[in-house]
PDB file of all heavy atoms in Angstrom:
ATOM      1  N   LEU I 580     100.632  81.939 135.176  1.00  0.00           N
ATOM      2  CA  LEU I 580      99.778  81.206 136.115  1.00  0.00           C
ATOM      3  C   LEU I 580     100.515  79.982 136.657  1.00  0.00           C
ATOM      4  O   LEU I 580     100.490  79.691 137.854  1.00  0.00           O
ATOM      5  CB  LEU I 580      98.500  80.776 135.386  1.00  0.00           C
ATOM      6  CG  LEU I 580      97.262  80.486 136.231  1.00  0.00           C
ATOM      7  CD1 LEU I 580      96.864  81.680 137.068  1.00  0.00           C
ATOM      8  CD2 LEU I 580      96.107  80.061 135.333  1.00  0.00           C
ATOM      9  N   ARG I 581     101.222  79.289 135.757  1.00  0.00           N
ATOM     10  CA  ARG I 581     101.999  78.121 136.163  1.00  0.00           C
ATOM     11  C   ARG I 581     103.059  78.501 137.198  1.00  0.00           C
ATOM     12  O   ARG I 581     103.218  77.841 138.223  1.00  0.00           O
ATOM     13  CB  ARG I 581     102.669  77.493 134.930  1.00  0.00           C
ATOM     14  CG  ARG I 581     103.470  76.234 135.241  1.00  0.00           C
ATOM     15  CD  ARG I 581     104.455  75.924 134.133  1.00  0.00           C
ATOM     16  NE  ARG I 581     105.505  76.949 134.057  1.00  0.00           N
ATOM     17  CZ  ARG I 581     106.496  76.916 133.173  1.00  0.00           C
ATOM     18  NH1 ARG I 581     106.545  75.959 132.285  1.00  0.00           N
ATOM     19  NH2 ARG I 581     107.409  77.869 133.165  1.00  0.00           N
ATOM     20  N   ASP I 582     103.767  79.612 136.920  1.00  0.00           N
ATOM     21  CA  ASP I 582     104.807  80.078 137.850  1.00  0.00           C
ATOM     22  C   ASP I 582     104.217  80.406 139.218  1.00  0.00           C
ATOM     23  O   ASP I 582     104.813  80.125 140.260  1.00  0.00           O
ATOM     24  CB  ASP I 582     105.513  81.312 137.282  1.00  0.00           C
ATOM     25  CG  ASP I 582     106.351  80.982 136.053  1.00  0.00           C
ATOM     26  OD1 ASP I 582     106.628  79.777 135.837  1.00  0.00           O
ATOM     27  OD2 ASP I 582     106.715  81.903 135.304  1.00  0.00           O
ATOM     28  N   GLU I 583     103.022  80.993 139.189  1.00  0.00           N
ATOM     29  CA  GLU I 583     102.358  81.358 140.448  1.00  0.00           C
ATOM     30  C   GLU I 583     102.021  80.106 141.261  1.00  0.00           C
ATOM     31  O   GLU I 583     102.228  80.054 142.475  1.00  0.00           O
ATOM     32  CB  GLU I 583     101.073  82.144 140.129  1.00  0.00           C
ATOM     33  CG  GLU I 583     100.374  82.699 141.361  1.00  0.00           C
ATOM     34  CD  GLU I 583      99.012  83.291 141.008  1.00  0.00           C
ATOM     35  OE1 GLU I 583      98.858  83.814 139.875  1.00  0.00           O
ATOM     36  OE2 GLU I 583      98.107  83.200 141.858  1.00  0.00           O
ATOM     37  N   TYR I 584     101.510  79.072 140.582  1.00  0.00           N
ATOM     38  CA  TYR I 584     101.158  77.826 141.278  1.00  0.00           C
ATOM     39  C   TYR I 584     102.395  77.108 141.816  1.00  0.00           C
ATOM     40  O   TYR I 584     102.378  76.553 142.907  1.00  0.00           O
ATOM     41  CB  TYR I 584     100.359  76.900 140.350  1.00  0.00           C
ATOM     42  CG  TYR I 584      98.943  77.366 140.154  1.00  0.00           C
ATOM     43  CD1 TYR I 584      98.357  77.337 138.891  1.00  0.00           C
ATOM     44  CD2 TYR I 584      98.191  77.840 141.226  1.00  0.00           C
ATOM     45  CE1 TYR I 584      97.060  77.777 138.704  1.00  0.00           C
ATOM     46  CE2 TYR I 584      96.892  78.275 141.045  1.00  0.00           C
ATOM     47  CZ  TYR I 584      96.326  78.251 139.786  1.00  0.00           C
ATOM     48  OH  TYR I 584      95.046  78.681 139.615  1.00  0.00           O
ATOM     49  N   ILE I 585     103.461  77.122 141.038  1.00  0.00           N
ATOM     50  CA  ILE I 585     104.707  76.487 141.499  1.00  0.00           C
ATOM     51  C   ILE I 585     105.206  77.195 142.761  1.00  0.00           C
ATOM     52  O   ILE I 585     105.625  76.559 143.728  1.00  0.00           O
ATOM     53  CB  ILE I 585     105.778  76.507 140.381  1.00  0.00           C
ATOM     54  CG1 ILE I 585     105.390  75.529 139.260  1.00  0.00           C
ATOM     55  CG2 ILE I 585     107.160  76.158 140.927  1.00  0.00           C
ATOM     56  CD1 ILE I 585     106.244  75.625 138.012  1.00  0.00           C
ATOM     57  N   LYS I 586     105.123  78.522 142.749  1.00  0.00           N
ATOM     58  CA  LYS I 586     105.562  79.304 143.908  1.00  0.00           C
ATOM     59  C   LYS I 586     104.702  78.971 145.129  1.00  0.00           C
ATOM     60  O   LYS I 586     105.213  78.755 146.236  1.00  0.00           O
ATOM     61  CB  LYS I 586     105.472  80.796 143.570  1.00  0.00           C
ATOM     62  CG  LYS I 586     106.031  81.708 144.648  1.00  0.00           C
ATOM     63  CD  LYS I 586     105.845  83.165 144.256  1.00  0.00           C
ATOM     64  CE  LYS I 586     106.235  84.083 145.410  1.00  0.00           C
ATOM     65  NZ  LYS I 586     105.908  85.494 145.128  1.00  0.00           N
ATOM     66  N   ARG I 587     103.386  78.893 144.929  1.00  0.00           N
ATOM     67  CA  ARG I 587     102.477  78.591 146.040  1.00  0.00           C
ATOM     68  C   ARG I 587     102.716  77.185 146.583  1.00  0.00           C
ATOM     69  O   ARG I 587     102.688  76.946 147.789  1.00  0.00           O
ATOM     70  CB  ARG I 587     101.019  78.746 145.585  1.00  0.00           C
ATOM     71  CG  ARG I 587     100.573  80.203 145.548  1.00  0.00           C
ATOM     72  CD  ARG I 587      99.215  80.366 144.933  1.00  0.00           C
ATOM     73  NE  ARG I 587      98.175  79.691 145.701  1.00  0.00           N
ATOM     74  CZ  ARG I 587      96.912  79.554 145.276  1.00  0.00           C
ATOM     75  NH1 ARG I 587      96.561  80.041 144.106  1.00  0.00           N
ATOM     76  NH2 ARG I 587      96.014  78.932 146.022  1.00  0.00           N
ATOM     77  N   LEU I 588     102.974  76.258 145.653  1.00  0.00           N
ATOM     78  CA  LEU I 588     103.238  74.873 146.068  1.00  0.00           C
ATOM     79  C   LEU I 588     104.510  74.801 146.911  1.00  0.00           C
ATOM     80  O   LEU I 588     104.553  74.114 147.939  1.00  0.00           O
ATOM     81  CB  LEU I 588     103.361  73.983 144.829  1.00  0.00           C
ATOM     82  CG  LEU I 588     103.433  72.476 145.072  1.00  0.00           C
ATOM     83  CD1 LEU I 588     102.171  71.966 145.765  1.00  0.00           C
ATOM     84  CD2 LEU I 588     103.650  71.731 143.765  1.00  0.00           C
ATOM     85  N   ASP I 589     105.555  75.539 146.476  1.00  0.00           N
ATOM     86  CA  ASP I 589     106.814  75.584 147.234  1.00  0.00           C
ATOM     87  C   ASP I 589     106.582  76.137 148.644  1.00  0.00           C
ATOM     88  O   ASP I 589     107.110  75.609 149.631  1.00  0.00           O
ATOM     89  CB  ASP I 589     107.847  76.458 146.511  1.00  0.00           C
ATOM     90  CG  ASP I 589     108.391  75.783 145.251  1.00  0.00           C
ATOM     91  OD1 ASP I 589     108.192  74.552 145.128  1.00  0.00           O
ATOM     92  OD2 ASP I 589     108.988  76.480 144.419  1.00  0.00           O
ATOM     93  N   GLU I 590     105.783  77.194 148.717  1.00  0.00           N
ATOM     94  CA  GLU I 590     105.488  77.803 150.021  1.00  0.00           C
ATOM     95  C   GLU I 590     104.747  76.822 150.936  1.00  0.00           C
ATOM     96  O   GLU I 590     105.048  76.697 152.116  1.00  0.00           O
ATOM     97  CB  GLU I 590     104.652  79.076 149.826  1.00  0.00           C
ATOM     98  CG  GLU I 590     105.439  80.251 149.262  1.00  0.00           C
ATOM     99  CD  GLU I 590     104.550  81.401 148.814  1.00  0.00           C
ATOM    100  OE1 GLU I 590     103.297  81.253 148.896  1.00  0.00           O
ATOM    101  OE2 GLU I 590     105.085  82.440 148.383  1.00  0.00           O
ATOM    102  N   LEU I 591     103.773  76.100 150.344  1.00  0.00           N
ATOM    103  CA  LEU I 591     102.991  75.140 151.129  1.00  0.00           C
ATOM    104  C   LEU I 591     103.868  73.982 151.605  1.00  0.00           C
ATOM    105  O   LEU I 591     103.731  73.506 152.730  1.00  0.00           O
ATOM    106  CB  LEU I 591     101.816  74.619 150.293  1.00  0.00           C
ATOM    107  CG  LEU I 591     100.688  75.633 150.039  1.00  0.00           C
ATOM    108  CD1 LEU I 591      99.738  75.112 148.974  1.00  0.00           C
ATOM    109  CD2 LEU I 591      99.921  75.929 151.326  1.00  0.00           C
ATOM    110  N   GLN I 592     104.766  73.533 150.714  1.00  0.00           N
ATOM    111  CA  GLN I 592     105.652  72.432 151.105  1.00  0.00           C
ATOM    112  C   GLN I 592     106.604  72.862 152.222  1.00  0.00           C
ATOM    113  O   GLN I 592     106.894  72.090 153.136  1.00  0.00           O
ATOM    114  CB  GLN I 592     106.436  71.941 149.881  1.00  0.00           C
ATOM    115  CG  GLN I 592     105.568  71.095 148.945  1.00  0.00           C
ATOM    116  CD  GLN I 592     106.290  70.769 147.646  1.00  0.00           C
ATOM    117  OE1 GLN I 592     107.219  71.457 147.248  1.00  0.00           O
ATOM    118  NE2 GLN I 592     105.846  69.706 146.983  1.00  0.00           N
ATOM    119  N   LEU I 593     107.076  74.115 152.151  1.00  0.00           N
ATOM    120  CA  LEU I 593     107.939  74.644 153.211  1.00  0.00           C
ATOM    121  C   LEU I 593     107.186  74.711 154.542  1.00  0.00           C
ATOM    122  O   LEU I 593     107.676  74.290 155.577  1.00  0.00           O
ATOM    123  CB  LEU I 593     108.428  76.047 152.835  1.00  0.00           C
ATOM    124  CG  LEU I 593     109.723  76.130 152.007  1.00  0.00           C
ATOM    125  CD1 LEU I 593     109.951  77.570 151.550  1.00  0.00           C
ATOM    126  CD2 LEU I 593     110.916  75.655 152.815  1.00  0.00           C
TER     127      LEU I 593
END
Side-chain angles (χ1 to χ4, degrees):
L580 203 58
R581 182 199 67 180
D582 292 344
E583 186 188 328
Y584 286 137
I585 289 171
K586 186 182 173 187
R587 281 172 63 188
L588 189 61
D589 288 344
E590 287 168 357
L591 289 168
Q592 284 172 338
L593 272 172

